[in-house]
mmCIF file of all heavy atoms in Angstrom:
data_model
loop_
_atom_site.group_PDB
_atom_site.id
_atom_site.type_symbol
_atom_site.label_atom_id
_atom_site.label_comp_id
_atom_site.label_asym_id
_atom_site.label_seq_id
_atom_site.Cartn_x
_atom_site.Cartn_y
_atom_site.Cartn_z
ATOM 1 N N VAL D 110 139.486 3.168 161.384
ATOM 2 C CA VAL D 110 140.764 2.340 161.700
ATOM 3 C C VAL D 110 141.540 2.167 160.410
ATOM 4 O O VAL D 110 142.770 2.260 160.385
ATOM 5 C CB VAL D 110 140.309 0.972 162.227
ATOM 6 C CG1 VAL D 110 141.573 0.128 162.400
ATOM 7 C CG2 VAL D 110 139.568 1.135 163.505
ATOM 8 N N HIS D 111 140.952 1.819 159.272
ATOM 9 C CA HIS D 111 141.626 1.366 158.085
ATOM 10 C C HIS D 111 141.969 2.499 157.161
ATOM 11 O O HIS D 111 141.168 3.403 157.068
ATOM 12 C CB HIS D 111 140.875 0.263 157.377
ATOM 13 C CG HIS D 111 140.712 -0.994 158.148
ATOM 14 N ND1 HIS D 111 139.583 -1.148 158.861
ATOM 15 C CD2 HIS D 111 141.550 -1.994 158.369
ATOM 16 C CE1 HIS D 111 139.657 -2.391 159.580
ATOM 17 N NE2 HIS D 111 140.826 -2.897 159.256
ATOM 18 N N PHE D 112 143.055 2.427 156.486
ATOM 19 C CA PHE D 112 143.466 3.363 155.497
ATOM 20 C C PHE D 112 142.342 3.553 154.421
ATOM 21 O O PHE D 112 141.817 2.642 154.014
ATOM 22 C CB PHE D 112 144.778 2.889 154.771
ATOM 23 C CG PHE D 112 145.199 3.822 153.681
ATOM 24 C CD1 PHE D 112 145.881 5.052 153.918
ATOM 25 C CD2 PHE D 112 144.842 3.562 152.361
ATOM 26 C CE1 PHE D 112 146.191 5.922 152.932
ATOM 27 C CE2 PHE D 112 145.185 4.416 151.287
ATOM 28 C CZ PHE D 112 145.928 5.548 151.602
ATOM 29 N N ASN D 113 142.135 4.839 154.115
ATOM 30 C CA ASN D 113 141.039 5.210 153.131
ATOM 31 C C ASN D 113 141.697 6.138 152.107
ATOM 32 O O ASN D 113 141.997 7.285 152.391
ATOM 33 C CB ASN D 113 139.959 5.838 153.966
ATOM 34 C CG ASN D 113 138.759 6.336 153.097
ATOM 35 O OD1 ASN D 113 139.000 6.795 151.977
ATOM 36 N ND2 ASN D 113 137.574 6.141 153.678
ATOM 37 N N GLU D 114 141.761 5.629 150.894
ATOM 38 C CA GLU D 114 142.356 6.443 149.812
ATOM 39 C C GLU D 114 141.614 7.669 149.448
ATOM 40 O O GLU D 114 142.201 8.682 149.207
ATOM 41 C CB GLU D 114 142.505 5.551 148.636
ATOM 42 C CG GLU D 114 143.304 6.172 147.344
ATOM 43 C CD GLU D 114 144.763 6.432 147.628
ATOM 44 O OE1 GLU D 114 145.494 5.506 148.169
ATOM 45 O OE2 GLU D 114 145.284 7.517 147.132
ATOM 46 N N THR D 115 140.335 7.670 149.616
ATOM 47 C CA THR D 115 139.639 8.911 149.329
ATOM 48 C C THR D 115 139.918 9.947 150.346
ATOM 49 O O THR D 115 140.184 11.180 149.946
ATOM 50 C CB THR D 115 138.107 8.523 149.408
ATOM 51 O OG1 THR D 115 137.830 7.459 148.498
ATOM 52 C CG2 THR D 115 137.229 9.760 149.017
ATOM 53 N N ILE D 116 139.984 9.587 151.637
ATOM 54 C CA ILE D 116 140.436 10.605 152.636
ATOM 55 C C ILE D 116 141.873 11.044 152.434
ATOM 56 O O ILE D 116 142.132 12.241 152.536
ATOM 57 C CB ILE D 116 140.244 9.949 154.004
ATOM 58 C CG1 ILE D 116 138.850 9.524 154.324
ATOM 59 C CG2 ILE D 116 140.787 10.862 155.155
ATOM 60 C CD1 ILE D 116 137.875 10.592 154.712
ATOM 61 N N PHE D 117 142.672 10.057 152.080
ATOM 62 C CA PHE D 117 144.140 10.356 151.974
ATOM 63 C C PHE D 117 144.425 11.329 150.782
ATOM 64 O O PHE D 117 145.456 11.951 150.673
ATOM 65 C CB PHE D 117 144.850 9.027 151.837
ATOM 66 C CG PHE D 117 146.376 9.232 151.756
ATOM 67 C CD1 PHE D 117 147.013 9.854 152.889
ATOM 68 C CD2 PHE D 117 147.162 8.855 150.601
ATOM 69 C CE1 PHE D 117 148.484 9.993 152.821
ATOM 70 C CE2 PHE D 117 148.452 8.991 150.614
ATOM 71 C CZ PHE D 117 149.208 9.609 151.678
ATOM 72 N N LYS D 118 143.507 11.437 149.837
ATOM 73 C CA LYS D 118 143.709 12.221 148.595
ATOM 74 C C LYS D 118 144.073 13.665 148.906
ATOM 75 O O LYS D 118 144.921 14.254 148.195
ATOM 76 C CB LYS D 118 142.432 12.209 147.727
ATOM 77 C CG LYS D 118 142.699 12.865 146.350
ATOM 78 C CD LYS D 118 141.406 12.534 145.581
ATOM 79 C CE LYS D 118 141.377 13.361 144.213
ATOM 80 N NZ LYS D 118 142.589 13.418 143.379
ATOM 81 N N THR D 119 143.522 14.226 149.999
ATOM 82 C CA THR D 119 143.878 15.639 150.364
ATOM 83 C C THR D 119 145.342 15.752 150.669
ATOM 84 O O THR D 119 146.008 16.660 150.162
ATOM 85 C CB THR D 119 142.997 15.968 151.652
ATOM 86 O OG1 THR D 119 141.667 15.907 151.305
ATOM 87 C CG2 THR D 119 143.311 17.438 151.962
ATOM 88 N N LEU D 120 145.816 14.794 151.466
ATOM 89 C CA LEU D 120 147.336 14.940 151.630
ATOM 90 C C LEU D 120 148.187 14.552 150.457
ATOM 91 O O LEU D 120 149.049 15.258 150.055
ATOM 92 C CB LEU D 120 147.688 13.987 152.866
ATOM 93 C CG LEU D 120 149.021 14.205 153.481
ATOM 94 C CD1 LEU D 120 149.141 13.376 154.735
ATOM 95 C CD2 LEU D 120 150.260 13.959 152.629
ATOM 96 N N ALA D 121 147.663 13.505 149.757
ATOM 97 C CA ALA D 121 148.501 13.016 148.598
ATOM 98 C C ALA D 121 148.677 14.065 147.535
ATOM 99 O O ALA D 121 149.692 14.314 146.985
ATOM 100 C CB ALA D 121 147.821 11.758 148.066
ATOM 101 N N ASP D 122 147.532 14.824 147.304
ATOM 102 C CA ASP D 122 147.602 15.870 146.231
ATOM 103 C C ASP D 122 148.098 17.270 146.681
ATOM 104 O O ASP D 122 148.083 18.178 145.971
ATOM 105 C CB ASP D 122 146.138 15.980 145.664
ATOM 106 C CG ASP D 122 145.702 14.719 144.959
ATOM 107 O OD1 ASP D 122 146.461 13.783 144.744
ATOM 108 O OD2 ASP D 122 144.518 14.825 144.643
ATOM 109 N N SER D 123 148.512 17.290 147.970
ATOM 110 C CA SER D 123 148.948 18.627 148.470
ATOM 111 C C SER D 123 150.348 19.002 147.952
ATOM 112 O O SER D 123 151.019 18.162 147.419
ATOM 113 C CB SER D 123 148.878 18.550 150.002
ATOM 114 O OG SER D 123 149.894 17.752 150.489
ATOM 115 N N ASN D 124 150.658 20.266 148.118
ATOM 116 C CA ASN D 124 151.961 20.847 147.649
ATOM 117 C C ASN D 124 152.174 20.508 146.152
ATOM 118 O O ASN D 124 153.236 19.972 145.798
ATOM 119 C CB ASN D 124 153.131 20.370 148.475
ATOM 120 C CG ASN D 124 154.031 21.434 148.971
ATOM 121 O OD1 ASN D 124 153.669 22.667 148.842
ATOM 122 N ND2 ASN D 124 155.239 21.053 149.320
ATOM 123 N N PRO D 125 151.260 20.842 145.272
ATOM 124 C CA PRO D 125 151.402 20.600 143.859
ATOM 125 C C PRO D 125 152.666 21.232 143.230
ATOM 126 O O PRO D 125 153.050 22.397 143.686
ATOM 127 C CB PRO D 125 150.159 21.097 143.179
ATOM 128 C CG PRO D 125 149.625 22.172 144.151
ATOM 129 C CD PRO D 125 150.033 21.708 145.519
ATOM 130 N N GLY D 126 153.223 20.564 142.296
ATOM 131 C CA GLY D 126 154.371 21.119 141.520
ATOM 132 C C GLY D 126 155.702 20.809 141.993
ATOM 133 O O GLY D 126 156.678 20.976 141.378
ATOM 134 N N VAL D 127 155.812 20.291 143.295
ATOM 135 C CA VAL D 127 157.052 19.833 143.850
ATOM 136 C C VAL D 127 156.973 18.452 144.406
ATOM 137 O O VAL D 127 155.834 17.929 144.389
ATOM 138 C CB VAL D 127 157.559 20.788 144.953
ATOM 139 C CG1 VAL D 127 157.905 22.207 144.331
ATOM 140 C CG2 VAL D 127 156.533 20.876 146.013
ATOM 141 N N ASP D 128 158.036 17.825 144.676
ATOM 142 C CA ASP D 128 158.064 16.357 145.030
ATOM 143 C C ASP D 128 158.152 16.151 146.553
ATOM 144 O O ASP D 128 158.593 15.053 147.044
ATOM 145 C CB ASP D 128 159.095 15.673 144.317
ATOM 146 C CG ASP D 128 160.562 16.052 144.665
ATOM 147 O OD1 ASP D 128 160.778 16.973 145.419
ATOM 148 O OD2 ASP D 128 161.470 15.520 144.010
ATOM 149 N N TYR D 129 157.853 17.244 147.361
ATOM 150 C CA TYR D 129 158.016 17.050 148.769
ATOM 151 C C TYR D 129 156.821 17.733 149.507
ATOM 152 O O TYR D 129 156.127 18.596 148.917
ATOM 153 C CB TYR D 129 159.295 17.690 149.297
ATOM 154 C CG TYR D 129 159.385 19.278 148.941
ATOM 155 C CD1 TYR D 129 158.817 20.159 149.739
ATOM 156 C CD2 TYR D 129 160.080 19.643 147.786
ATOM 157 C CE1 TYR D 129 158.896 21.524 149.457
ATOM 158 C CE2 TYR D 129 160.050 20.953 147.405
ATOM 159 C CZ TYR D 129 159.559 21.960 148.227
ATOM 160 O OH TYR D 129 159.634 23.250 147.883
ATOM 161 N N TYR D 130 156.603 17.277 150.753
ATOM 162 C CA TYR D 130 155.501 17.976 151.606
ATOM 163 C C TYR D 130 156.396 18.688 152.715
ATOM 164 O O TYR D 130 157.649 18.373 152.941
ATOM 165 C CB TYR D 130 154.740 16.912 152.370
ATOM 166 C CG TYR D 130 153.914 16.098 151.460
ATOM 167 C CD1 TYR D 130 154.065 14.622 151.400
ATOM 168 C CD2 TYR D 130 153.003 16.605 150.473
ATOM 169 C CE1 TYR D 130 153.306 13.884 150.623
ATOM 170 C CE2 TYR D 130 152.294 15.838 149.624
ATOM 171 C CZ TYR D 130 152.427 14.360 149.707
ATOM 172 O OH TYR D 130 151.743 13.562 148.970
ATOM 173 N N ASN D 131 155.842 19.712 153.251
ATOM 174 C CA ASN D 131 156.542 20.521 154.286
ATOM 175 C C ASN D 131 155.512 20.922 155.370
ATOM 176 O O ASN D 131 154.349 20.631 155.279
ATOM 177 C CB ASN D 131 157.369 21.604 153.656
ATOM 178 C CG ASN D 131 156.480 22.595 152.889
ATOM 179 O OD1 ASN D 131 155.228 22.574 153.061
ATOM 180 N ND2 ASN D 131 157.041 23.395 152.018
#
Side-chain angles (χ1 to χ4, degrees):
V110 176
H111 297 96
F112 177 80
N113 179 320
E114 183 68 41
T115 306
I116 301 281
F117 184 63
K118 188 174 166 53
T119 300
L120 198 171
D122 292 352
S123 68
N124 226 19
V127 293
D128 62 0
Y129 58 86
Y130 304 121
N131 58 19

